[in-house]
Amino acid sequence: TFEVLSQAPSPAGTGEAPSTHGIRPQTIMTERWPALQEAVTTLNVVNPAAAQQLVNAVLPRPGATLAANILFFLVALSGGDLRGWLGDGPARILQRLKPGLMTRLRDDFGRLGRIANEPRTGDWRATMIPFYNGAEIEQIRLFIRRADDEAEDEQEGRQGTRFVLDMDLSRMGRFQLDGLVYQKERHLDLIVRTENKLPQKMQDDIRDIFREAGDVTGIKGGLSFQAAPPNFIDIAGAEPPQQPLGLIV
């Protein structure tokens, strides 16, 4: 569980979010989502209630609804349903006041969907998930190798789904969760990778969370930590951003 304590100041000279027309796929992969940030800012000015609906009920953000909102976004992305994801109220307001912005959002949403469905090097599929940190919208990078792409475990004869969740945190640096899920066996093996070794208490707390989650879900598995060197998994064409995301954890 991550708690946002404060927001790092924006870089000097940062002005209005640039247009996303013609944006390169690697830019979407590594940076913020300017059009979505502009949509939130616009709604805050013209209709604060609609802005709160979008921020509190739709956007993934710290809190109890984080997992549900991530799943809601992924379902909408797979179906190409931007309006259904934003909500009818916010979508109608943006379409009426800034139709050009809605066009940019649709273009971005469609591009993110195509990226998520097109395998990258080694059949990895990449999904960029918007994350509202309380001040700005950032992106979580999620990479998945689906069950039919993951090679069988030669020793066990099982097929699994591999996922990599990649983040950059202001204090901890790069933080990566590398997991392998065997759905039929309800088994999860998870590696936590960090640039520097986590304090023992933090490792113990993560182990407690992993064990408690297993007790609730019935999923068994193992948890390990790697650091110094972390042996990060780098997906070709999806290098981490050069600037930290600005989260204080």
Side-chain angles (χ1 to χ4, degrees), residues 186 207-221:
R186 298 181 64 80
R207 288 190 180 95
D208 288 342
I209 293 171
F210 188 83
R211 183 172 57 254
E212 291 170 4
D215 291 341
V216 171
T217 63
I219 295 176
K220 306 299 181 182

Side-chain angles (χ1 to χ4, degrees), residues 8-198:
S10 300
T14 299
E16 185 178 355
S19 169
T20 54
H21 283 305
I23 193 168
R24 297 186 307 246
Q26 59 264 36
T27 301
I28 290 182
M29 296 287 288
T30 58
E31 296 179 358
R32 293 173 174 83
W33 189 346
L36 184 57
Q37 181 69 61
E38 184 180 344
V40 173
T41 302
T42 299
L43 290 173
N44 264 323
V45 173
V46 301
N47 193 319
Q52 289 302 307
Q53 175 188 339
L54 180 60
V55 168
N56 294 329
V58 177
L59 289 177
R61 61 197 298 268
T65 62
L66 175 61
N69 286 356
I70 287 177
L71 290 175
F72 182 42
F73 172 77
L74 294 177
V75 170
L77 189 67
S78 66
D81 187 10
L82 172 66
R83 191 180 189 92
W85 178 61
L86 291 176
D88 187 62
R92 283 190 291 105
I93 294 171
L94 292 172
Q95 183 64 49
R96 184 177 72 252
L97 297 179
K98 288 195 172 184
L101 176 58
M102 278 297 292
T103 298
R104 289 161 51 197
L105 282 171
R106 280 192 292 267
D107 290 346
D108 289 348
F109 202 74
R111 189 174 293 110
L112 287 172
R114 289 192 296 273
I115 292 174
N117 290 319
E118 293 174 357
R120 305 180 69 79
T121 300
D123 293 325
W124 286 95
R125 289 165 171 82
T127 303
M128 301 298 103
I129 302 170
F131 177 83
Y132 184 72
N133 63 25
E136 294 180 326
I137 295 172
E138 300 166 345
Q139 294 196 91
I140 299 173
R141 303 180 296 278
L142 174 64
F143 303 95
I144 298 176
R145 181 181 288 172
R146 296 175 181 170
D148 54 349
D149 297 327
E150 186 69 27
E152 283 194 7
D153 187 315
E154 295 181 357
Q155 294 181 347
E156 302 291 337
R158 302 178 297 175
Q159 283 191 328
T161 299
R162 180 87 172 273
F163 69 87
V164 174
L165 185 65
D166 207 357
M167 298 172 284
D168 290 274
L169 306 175
S170 59
R171 292 187 179 178
M172 296 176 62
R174 191 175 178 187
F175 186 96
Q176 191 176 83
L177 300 178
D178 180 5
L180 182 57
V181 181
Y182 298 102
Q183 186 171 359
K184 291 182 179 179
E185 296 85 352
R186 298 181 64 80
H187 186 98
L188 166 65
D189 291 324
L190 182 67
I191 301 173
V192 178
R193 294 189 170 93
T194 53
E195 294 177 343
N196 300 306
K197 185 177 180 180
L198 296 176

